[in-house]
Amino acid sequence: MSLNLFSYFAMSECNKYITILYIIYYTKNIISFQAIRLFGLALVAGWITYSHAFVEPIPMPENLVECYEFRTHNISITEIPSQDINMFCITQFLYSTTDLRPQRPIANETILYAQELFRRLVNKHEHHRRTKRQFNPMVRREIRTLSRDEWNTFTARLNELKQRPVGDIYGYDALADIHRLVENSAHNGPNFLGWHRIYLALLEIALGVPVPYWDSSLDYYMDQPTDSIVWTAEFFGNGFGAVEEGPFQWMTPEGVPLVRNIGNDGTLINSDVIAAVLSRRFHRQIVEPSQNPRFSLEVHHNGPHVWMDGQMSAPATAAQDPVFFMHHAFIDYIWSLFRSLQRANGINPEEDYPRTRVRMHQPWDRMIPFGLRNFHGYSNFFESLNVYDPSPRCPDCGGNPYLECGGDRCRSRVALSPSRPSEFGFVGGVPSSFGGQARSQATLQRTGALPIGRRFQAFFRDPRVRGDTMPNAPSNRIRRSVSDNKENVTKDNKDSAQISKPYQNTFVLNGVSNVDLWVFIPVRIIFERPPEIQFESYLIQNGTLVKSSDMFSPAEFKGLKVEIKRKMPATYKKCHVSGSGASKVYVQTDGIDYSGRYKDYAVVDERLPFSSSMTYIGAKNPTEGASQFYMTAYDSCGRVCRPQCLINGIYRPCSGAFRISTSLPKMYGITYEDAVKGIWKKGQGLLSEANASEIPVTFLCEIQSTWPWSP
């Protein structure tokens, strides 16, 4: 009988006991058959107990390996933040393996409803053609340029659609579900632009009014975009936690509220992004697959999805939040500008559908579920359905009370406290003359699991997602003058620092929201201080304040700034120091064979040469069968951490992919509390340090010279 050690530890606990008995029996140790029988009865009766919780490292999926190798080929880690590569490859993997992950089924009535809306769209314009009546396209305008009546009409019709029965669900939810049909066929390829243009038109047919666009660049140029007036009851509702303010206090078909975690990740769109896209001439240069993501409109579109987080961060659920359609209207606006430039250069946009080898994106592939061919989405006909009013610009931002000029850029005003008016006659961040509703102070701040299937991944990220205030605004951002900063002075001590915001998840797994579907895995973070940062705490030598480095700096960092800068891994542009030392390291799991993502963070101290912290991350409960997931971690500046897995009592480098089962040893908690107690408690007593044998994975967030996925 042969048995290697790894095979032994991979067994269920019951099988281990049986194996031990067989070993004892076959090696002819002195033991009676009656003793063996009694041992087995005790095990079955529960007199000998064991717990179920094995988290086993497995090889990284081949699709991920290939993507990491391709994206980092001949590129140094000093050239691009490793998290940009990481996000891109996780998204590519999830797109290419959709069939592995079950989801809530899409009803036939939902598909028929979308097809009926499409027929109504085509018939409406065919009627104008036959009767030779003049067709007036719908005019889309930036959300902040609408009158209150126009905005209220739009949101009222959205709420009416949300309550209009379609089969077993409602009209808005049915339309949102259509987006789940096209996770492959309308993303990561040329069909992205045309399909979403038609999708927007379907919502307009259902509502009878145009969809306004959200120009997120107007928020990007704020010191803190999370303070924008759009995240008040006057517009989208609150941006942190469950949506409890404004017109979209909705429940999803999964039985959970809309959830947002704005500013934790990703980036909003900025003028440089738009200029880069508009600098190209052919569609093949701005669609996926792209050799240069700087020019990819789809890549840049991902940023606000990830920045908003919650349902918006995953293709399967993104359309459940109506901000989805206003964001996509802005992407369509940029595409319209691009097509106008094509015509100015003698290029017919509808004849410029790119040749591609991407499955389901080739020109003659059928467009799901409309019965068109993909190239039809590029037609001038669908473009003619709408016209766009230009986005507000300085010097007066169109005289809009929700906007202001900072330098030569138009940007959103800050949402103020509900109790104090500003010089603009605002109450609660809303112009009082507009009858705005003050923002509630009771935003839900629960933490938990928001596994909603695979998510959009932003290739580019905003440095301010690390969540700290900006003591020194970067030179190319708008720095407010004293007189220009009056809104910030009157915020009644509102703490807008991202570090103070918990992360809200939805607990949706395979289309069902239930915390019991999840278990919680202890994860340790070991964080090495980045050598380029400096705090305003200095040594004094011989009565002189020495500002060449702060007092916390390791000796080897001092005096090496030029050399460090040359060899340091790339970070997000303008990544800055908090000043307090507190920083976040994010950890997330993505289901490999289930649909769900969990994300949370550990708070580390970046002042110290090394610091350690803990967090507890969700994965699918294996009670109904073992499952697989991929776990990754990255710091607030975009550096991906290396996983170390507990193997036979020793931490060794591993891939970050895991199989979770009900076998021993115990490595997770059935509840969050169980996971915490499992490493910190012995009986009723608190241990002096975490029990390392119960922590299956540690991420080393260290300064590296090679890509974190290198062997």
Side-chain angles (χ1 to χ4, degrees), residues 27-81:
T27 53
K28 303 184 185 302
N29 283 293
I30 301 174
I31 187 169
S32 70
F33 178 79
Q34 184 66 20
I36 294 174
R37 180 173 177 274
L38 289 174
F39 186 91
L41 288 173
L43 179 65
V44 172
W47 302 333
I48 300 175
T49 62
Y50 57 91
S51 54
H52 304 271
F54 191 50
V55 179
E56 172 190 2
I58 60 176
M60 184 183 294
E62 290 185 8
N63 306 47
L64 270 174
V65 173
E66 292 171 359
C67 182
Y68 287 136
E69 290 177 349
F70 175 75
R71 290 288 167 176
T72 59
H73 182 65
N74 291 332
I75 299 178
S76 167
I77 196 172
T78 63
E79 297 178 52
I80 185 170

Side-chain angles (χ1 to χ4, degrees), residues 445-463:
Q445 295 290 342
R446 297 174 299 185
T447 56
L450 172 56
I452 54 178
R454 68 169 184 222
R455 299 191 177 194
F456 291 100
Q457 298 292 338
F459 201 94
F460 299 100
R461 306 164 75 83
D462 190 326

Side-chain angles (χ1 to χ4, degrees), residues 352-408:
D352 188 40
Y353 191 98
R355 295 181 179 180
T356 181
R357 294 183 179 179
V358 178
R359 190 174 68 88
M360 304 178 78
H361 282 266
Q362 295 177 8
W364 287 91
D365 287 340
R366 290 196 175 275
M367 184 186 288
I368 301 171
F370 308 127
L372 302 174
R373 304 294 181 176
N374 286 339
F375 71 87
H376 288 133
Y378 281 51
S379 73
N380 294 330
F381 167 75
F382 288 113
E383 183 181 21
S384 70
L385 303 182
N386 300 92
V387 294
Y388 287 91
D389 271 3
S391 187
R393 293 292 180 262
C394 286
D396 63 354
C397 293
N400 191 291
Y402 295 110
L403 302 169
E404 63 182 357
C405 282
D408 61 346

Side-chain angles (χ1 to χ4, degrees), residues 104 171 243 380 390 406 435 462 592 663:
R104 178 173 52 82
V243 179
N380 294 330
D462 190 326
I592 293 176
S663 300

